[in-house]
Amino acid sequence: MGLRYLGKDPASDGGQSPTVWDDGDSYVVQGWRIDDPATLVEVGDIPPHETLIRIPKRLMPVFPEVSGGHGVAEAG
């Protein structure tokens, strides 16, 4: 199954915003990479094939579980 676009952060600049897609089994999330040393120490070990990202809470309505099953996709 391909990705189904769910929405972007409506408050982002220039369309380079956090974005959420549904791939059928999970969500694919584009966000801001966390590379702050203090945050990384607080989280602990991250496997080499994983990373931490940050998305704003205002993006939560695009998740179907929050929006009643349909998401709030902006044009994208």
Side-chain angles (χ1 to χ4, degrees):
M1 173 182 188
L3 295 176
R4 182 172 66 96
Y5 172 81
L6 295 177
K8 283 190 179 235
D9 177 5
S12 69
D13 292 332
Q16 296 184 7
S17 61
T19 307
V20 177
W21 296 267
D22 182 344
D23 77 355
D25 294 325
S26 58
Y27 294 109
V28 174
V29 180
Q30 171 192 340
W32 299 293
R33 181 180 302 124
I34 296 174
D35 56 9
D36 170 58
T39 301
L40 294 172
V41 166
E42 188 173 343
V43 169
D45 291 336
I46 306 292
H49 63 282
E50 296 181 4
T51 192
L52 295 176
I53 62 165
R54 189 180 307 272
I55 63 169
K57 289 182 179 180
R58 65 181 170 264
L59 192 55
M60 294 306 296
V62 305
F63 289 94
E65 292 82 358
V66 176
S67 66
H70 50 76
V72 184
E74 301 290 324

